[in-house]
Amino acid sequence: MRRSAIFAAALTFAVAGAAAAIPPLQPKFDPAGNFTHEPGVALSLVAISPTGVTLECRRADGPAGPSVWRERYEVRDGKLMFVSVITEHDVPAQAAHTEWQETMVSEAPPPATSPAKVGGTDLRGAAIDPRWKTYPEYMQAVLHRIQTTWDHERITQKLNAKSGDRVSVKFVLDAHGQITRVSGVEFSPGTADAAVRACILAITSPAPYPPWTDPMIATLGGDQSLSLAFYYP
């Protein structure tokens, strides 16, 4: 896809007075002006509007099988900028029906101190229900899948992340082992867009996770909100 084609369609109609500031994440172009992505990712144009474009991304060699997601870019201050990741979710109550869920990404303010944990994932904080302590083996199995997927992304995609970069992802896990919603993503200033995206996909790609047992459902209910932080080594 040519850069000139994107800007011709999007910038011509860009309105003055952009909305609130968004992360300074911009798409990459090769010397010929073609849109580029990580190696092994095939791109197709899904939608184009006066304010931006949506791309569909496909990778066949993910650790949990083929991965498909969408990325939305908007024109802000004369630049085309990455603003969200959109992932596909099954809707069990409606046969042969899927929906696309959009997750906005935002740059978090710099922490008062440097992160204490570097080079791994950390599930903690107020969003974690203490009742999970009754089922540590299940949570360890979920985290193992996420960590394995994230490690695969970091190594095979050669992500351009700085040591200490932190990405926090809030999501909802239900009793069927499905990720029903990714409710928010925050990252430390300057974190590369691919590094942010890898953390979201590390959670959504391995799903579904094992279904909950009846005692787990009785204890935890139908779903749980979780928050997972990724620290780049």
Side-chain angles (χ1 to χ4, degrees), residues 123-140:
L123 187 65
R124 62 183 180 183
I128 307 305
D129 193 313
R131 290 175 294 180
W132 276 110
K133 293 180 180 179
T134 309
Y135 306 102
E137 296 83 3
Y138 182 91
M139 187 52 63
Q140 288 172 5

PDB file of all heavy atoms in Angstrom, residues 123-140:
ATOM      1  N   LEU A 123       1.353 -10.117  37.224  1.00  0.00           N
ATOM      2  CA  LEU A 123      -0.088 -10.021  37.431  1.00  0.00           C
ATOM      3  C   LEU A 123      -0.325  -9.611  38.878  1.00  0.00           C
ATOM      4  O   LEU A 123      -0.143 -10.388  39.797  1.00  0.00           O
ATOM      5  CB  LEU A 123      -0.751 -11.368  37.150  1.00  0.00           C
ATOM      6  CG  LEU A 123      -2.275 -11.404  37.170  1.00  0.00           C
ATOM      7  CD1 LEU A 123      -2.849 -10.552  36.049  1.00  0.00           C
ATOM      8  CD2 LEU A 123      -2.752 -12.836  37.007  1.00  0.00           C
ATOM      9  N   ARG A 124      -0.719  -8.347  39.061  1.00  0.00           N
ATOM     10  CA  ARG A 124      -0.910  -7.871  40.421  1.00  0.00           C
ATOM     11  C   ARG A 124      -1.744  -6.594  40.386  1.00  0.00           C
ATOM     12  O   ARG A 124      -2.148  -6.125  39.340  1.00  0.00           O
ATOM     13  CB  ARG A 124       0.443  -7.587  41.087  1.00  0.00           C
ATOM     14  CG  ARG A 124       1.252  -6.490  40.395  1.00  0.00           C
ATOM     15  CD  ARG A 124       2.595  -6.322  41.066  1.00  0.00           C
ATOM     16  NE  ARG A 124       3.386  -5.280  40.417  1.00  0.00           N
ATOM     17  CZ  ARG A 124       4.628  -4.976  40.770  1.00  0.00           C
ATOM     18  NH1 ARG A 124       5.214  -5.634  41.738  1.00  0.00           N
ATOM     19  NH2 ARG A 124       5.282  -4.023  40.147  1.00  0.00           N
ATOM     20  N   GLY A 125      -1.995  -6.025  41.542  1.00  0.00           N
ATOM     21  CA  GLY A 125      -2.718  -4.767  41.597  1.00  0.00           C
ATOM     22  C   GLY A 125      -4.140  -4.925  42.079  1.00  0.00           C
ATOM     23  O   GLY A 125      -4.648  -6.026  42.311  1.00  0.00           O
ATOM     24  N   ALA A 126      -4.840  -3.806  42.212  1.00  0.00           N
ATOM     25  CA  ALA A 126      -6.188  -3.787  42.773  1.00  0.00           C
ATOM     26  C   ALA A 126      -7.194  -4.521  41.906  1.00  0.00           C
ATOM     27  O   ALA A 126      -8.249  -4.935  42.386  1.00  0.00           O
ATOM     28  CB  ALA A 126      -6.633  -2.342  42.974  1.00  0.00           C
ATOM     29  N   ALA A 127      -6.905  -4.683  40.606  1.00  0.00           N
ATOM     30  CA  ALA A 127      -7.863  -5.328  39.710  1.00  0.00           C
ATOM     31  C   ALA A 127      -7.895  -6.849  39.900  1.00  0.00           C
ATOM     32  O   ALA A 127      -8.727  -7.518  39.311  1.00  0.00           O
ATOM     33  CB  ALA A 127      -7.532  -4.992  38.259  1.00  0.00           C
ATOM     34  N   ILE A 128      -7.010  -7.398  40.691  1.00  0.00           N
ATOM     35  CA  ILE A 128      -6.940  -8.843  40.866  1.00  0.00           C
ATOM     36  C   ILE A 128      -7.750  -9.256  42.084  1.00  0.00           C
ATOM     37  O   ILE A 128      -7.488  -8.832  43.195  1.00  0.00           O
ATOM     38  CB  ILE A 128      -5.479  -9.317  41.018  1.00  0.00           C
ATOM     39  CG1 ILE A 128      -4.633  -8.791  39.864  1.00  0.00           C
ATOM     40  CG2 ILE A 128      -5.423 -10.826  41.085  1.00  0.00           C
ATOM     41  CD1 ILE A 128      -5.160  -9.140  38.503  1.00  0.00           C
ATOM     42  N   ASP A 129      -8.745 -10.102  41.871  1.00  0.00           N
ATOM     43  CA  ASP A 129      -9.604 -10.578  42.951  1.00  0.00           C
ATOM     44  C   ASP A 129      -8.807 -11.544  43.833  1.00  0.00           C
ATOM     45  O   ASP A 129      -8.222 -12.504  43.332  1.00  0.00           O
ATOM     46  CB  ASP A 129     -10.821 -11.287  42.350  1.00  0.00           C
ATOM     47  CG  ASP A 129     -11.912 -11.540  43.373  1.00  0.00           C
ATOM     48  OD1 ASP A 129     -11.578 -12.029  44.473  1.00  0.00           O
ATOM     49  OD2 ASP A 129     -13.076 -11.251  43.063  1.00  0.00           O
ATOM     50  N   PRO A 130      -8.757 -11.310  45.139  1.00  0.00           N
ATOM     51  CA  PRO A 130      -7.983 -12.197  46.033  1.00  0.00           C
ATOM     52  C   PRO A 130      -8.473 -13.638  46.040  1.00  0.00           C
ATOM     53  O   PRO A 130      -7.750 -14.534  46.471  1.00  0.00           O
ATOM     54  CB  PRO A 130      -8.156 -11.538  47.412  1.00  0.00           C
ATOM     55  CG  PRO A 130      -9.380 -10.685  47.298  1.00  0.00           C
ATOM     56  CD  PRO A 130      -9.400 -10.207  45.874  1.00  0.00           C
ATOM     57  N   ARG A 131      -9.702 -13.877  45.533  1.00  0.00           N
ATOM     58  CA  ARG A 131     -10.212 -15.252  45.495  1.00  0.00           C
ATOM     59  C   ARG A 131      -9.415 -16.137  44.542  1.00  0.00           C
ATOM     60  O   ARG A 131      -9.511 -17.362  44.579  1.00  0.00           O
ATOM     61  CB  ARG A 131     -11.685 -15.241  45.108  1.00  0.00           C
ATOM     62  CG  ARG A 131     -12.598 -14.678  46.200  1.00  0.00           C
ATOM     63  CD  ARG A 131     -14.039 -14.567  45.730  1.00  0.00           C
ATOM     64  NE  ARG A 131     -14.184 -13.577  44.669  1.00  0.00           N
ATOM     65  CZ  ARG A 131     -15.351 -13.296  44.081  1.00  0.00           C
ATOM     66  NH1 ARG A 131     -16.447 -13.947  44.441  1.00  0.00           N
ATOM     67  NH2 ARG A 131     -15.413 -12.381  43.129  1.00  0.00           N
ATOM     68  N   TRP A 132      -8.610 -15.519  43.645  1.00  0.00           N
ATOM     69  CA  TRP A 132      -7.767 -16.303  42.747  1.00  0.00           C
ATOM     70  C   TRP A 132      -6.724 -17.116  43.518  1.00  0.00           C
ATOM     71  O   TRP A 132      -6.174 -18.090  42.989  1.00  0.00           O
ATOM     72  CB  TRP A 132      -7.063 -15.399  41.741  1.00  0.00           C
ATOM     73  CG  TRP A 132      -7.890 -15.074  40.542  1.00  0.00           C
ATOM     74  CD1 TRP A 132      -8.446 -13.873  40.218  1.00  0.00           C
ATOM     75  CD2 TRP A 132      -8.259 -15.970  39.483  1.00  0.00           C
ATOM     76  NE1 TRP A 132      -9.141 -13.974  39.030  1.00  0.00           N
ATOM     77  CE2 TRP A 132      -9.037 -15.244  38.558  1.00  0.00           C
ATOM     78  CE3 TRP A 132      -8.010 -17.320  39.237  1.00  0.00           C
ATOM     79  CZ2 TRP A 132      -9.564 -15.820  37.407  1.00  0.00           C
ATOM     80  CZ3 TRP A 132      -8.532 -17.900  38.088  1.00  0.00           C
ATOM     81  CH2 TRP A 132      -9.302 -17.158  37.190  1.00  0.00           C
ATOM     82  N   LYS A 133      -6.426 -16.698  44.735  1.00  0.00           N
ATOM     83  CA  LYS A 133      -5.418 -17.415  45.524  1.00  0.00           C
ATOM     84  C   LYS A 133      -5.815 -18.866  45.766  1.00  0.00           C
ATOM     85  O   LYS A 133      -4.974 -19.715  46.044  1.00  0.00           O
ATOM     86  CB  LYS A 133      -5.204 -16.703  46.860  1.00  0.00           C
ATOM     87  CG  LYS A 133      -4.573 -15.324  46.726  1.00  0.00           C
ATOM     88  CD  LYS A 133      -4.388 -14.673  48.090  1.00  0.00           C
ATOM     89  CE  LYS A 133      -3.750 -13.297  47.952  1.00  0.00           C
ATOM     90  NZ  LYS A 133      -3.588 -12.633  49.272  1.00  0.00           N
ATOM     91  N   THR A 134      -7.103 -19.154  45.627  1.00  0.00           N
ATOM     92  CA  THR A 134      -7.572 -20.526  45.807  1.00  0.00           C
ATOM     93  C   THR A 134      -7.212 -21.395  44.609  1.00  0.00           C
ATOM     94  O   THR A 134      -7.167 -22.626  44.725  1.00  0.00           O
ATOM     95  CB  THR A 134      -9.109 -20.530  45.999  1.00  0.00           C
ATOM     96  OG1 THR A 134      -9.453 -19.589  47.014  1.00  0.00           O
ATOM     97  CG2 THR A 134      -9.613 -21.910  46.401  1.00  0.00           C
ATOM     98  N   TYR A 135      -6.920 -20.778  43.457  1.00  0.00           N
ATOM     99  CA  TYR A 135      -6.663 -21.535  42.228  1.00  0.00           C
ATOM    100  C   TYR A 135      -5.352 -21.084  41.578  1.00  0.00           C
ATOM    101  O   TYR A 135      -5.334 -20.617  40.436  1.00  0.00           O
ATOM    102  CB  TYR A 135      -7.833 -21.348  41.257  1.00  0.00           C
ATOM    103  CG  TYR A 135      -9.164 -21.692  41.879  1.00  0.00           C
ATOM    104  CD1 TYR A 135     -10.028 -20.692  42.315  1.00  0.00           C
ATOM    105  CD2 TYR A 135      -9.542 -23.026  42.063  1.00  0.00           C
ATOM    106  CE1 TYR A 135     -11.251 -21.009  42.914  1.00  0.00           C
ATOM    107  CE2 TYR A 135     -10.750 -23.341  42.666  1.00  0.00           C
ATOM    108  CZ  TYR A 135     -11.595 -22.327  43.087  1.00  0.00           C
ATOM    109  OH  TYR A 135     -12.785 -22.646  43.683  1.00  0.00           O
ATOM    110  N   PRO A 136      -4.234 -21.218  42.291  1.00  0.00           N
ATOM    111  CA  PRO A 136      -2.958 -20.750  41.732  1.00  0.00           C
ATOM    112  C   PRO A 136      -2.512 -21.544  40.508  1.00  0.00           C
ATOM    113  O   PRO A 136      -1.878 -20.997  39.609  1.00  0.00           O
ATOM    114  CB  PRO A 136      -1.982 -20.932  42.894  1.00  0.00           C
ATOM    115  CG  PRO A 136      -2.591 -22.019  43.737  1.00  0.00           C
ATOM    116  CD  PRO A 136      -4.066 -21.807  43.632  1.00  0.00           C
ATOM    117  N   GLU A 137      -2.856 -22.850  40.457  1.00  0.00           N
ATOM    118  CA  GLU A 137      -2.406 -23.657  39.325  1.00  0.00           C
ATOM    119  C   GLU A 137      -3.037 -23.165  38.024  1.00  0.00           C
ATOM    120  O   GLU A 137      -2.374 -23.125  36.977  1.00  0.00           O
ATOM    121  CB  GLU A 137      -2.754 -25.140  39.539  1.00  0.00           C
ATOM    122  CG  GLU A 137      -2.058 -25.785  40.718  1.00  0.00           C
ATOM    123  CD  GLU A 137      -2.769 -25.528  42.033  1.00  0.00           C
ATOM    124  OE1 GLU A 137      -3.860 -24.886  42.006  1.00  0.00           O
ATOM    125  OE2 GLU A 137      -2.258 -25.962  43.086  1.00  0.00           O
ATOM    126  N   TYR A 138      -4.319 -22.807  38.093  1.00  0.00           N
ATOM    127  CA  TYR A 138      -4.987 -22.313  36.880  1.00  0.00           C
ATOM    128  C   TYR A 138      -4.340 -21.016  36.402  1.00  0.00           C
ATOM    129  O   TYR A 138      -4.031 -20.873  35.214  1.00  0.00           O
ATOM    130  CB  TYR A 138      -6.476 -22.077  37.149  1.00  0.00           C
ATOM    131  CG  TYR A 138      -7.226 -21.618  35.907  1.00  0.00           C
ATOM    132  CD1 TYR A 138      -7.823 -22.545  35.060  1.00  0.00           C
ATOM    133  CD2 TYR A 138      -7.312 -20.275  35.584  1.00  0.00           C
ATOM    134  CE1 TYR A 138      -8.488 -22.134  33.909  1.00  0.00           C
ATOM    135  CE2 TYR A 138      -7.965 -19.850  34.440  1.00  0.00           C
ATOM    136  CZ  TYR A 138      -8.553 -20.785  33.606  1.00  0.00           C
ATOM    137  OH  TYR A 138      -9.199 -20.374  32.463  1.00  0.00           O
ATOM    138  N   MET A 139      -4.140 -20.080  37.320  1.00  0.00           N
ATOM    139  CA  MET A 139      -3.556 -18.803  36.918  1.00  0.00           C
ATOM    140  C   MET A 139      -2.137 -18.986  36.400  1.00  0.00           C
ATOM    141  O   MET A 139      -1.716 -18.321  35.448  1.00  0.00           O
ATOM    142  CB  MET A 139      -3.587 -17.829  38.092  1.00  0.00           C
ATOM    143  CG  MET A 139      -3.148 -16.413  37.716  1.00  0.00           C
ATOM    144  SD  MET A 139      -4.042 -15.739  36.278  1.00  0.00           S
ATOM    145  CE  MET A 139      -5.713 -15.692  36.924  1.00  0.00           C
ATOM    146  N   GLN A 140      -1.385 -19.898  36.988  1.00  0.00           N
ATOM    147  CA  GLN A 140      -0.037 -20.160  36.499  1.00  0.00           C
ATOM    148  C   GLN A 140      -0.071 -20.699  35.073  1.00  0.00           C
ATOM    149  O   GLN A 140       0.782 -20.351  34.245  1.00  0.00           O
ATOM    150  CB  GLN A 140       0.679 -21.150  37.427  1.00  0.00           C
ATOM    151  CG  GLN A 140       1.069 -20.551  38.770  1.00  0.00           C
ATOM    152  CD  GLN A 140       1.587 -21.587  39.747  1.00  0.00           C
ATOM    153  OE1 GLN A 140       1.739 -22.762  39.403  1.00  0.00           O
ATOM    154  NE2 GLN A 140       1.846 -21.170  40.983  1.00  0.00           N
TER     155      GLN A 140
END
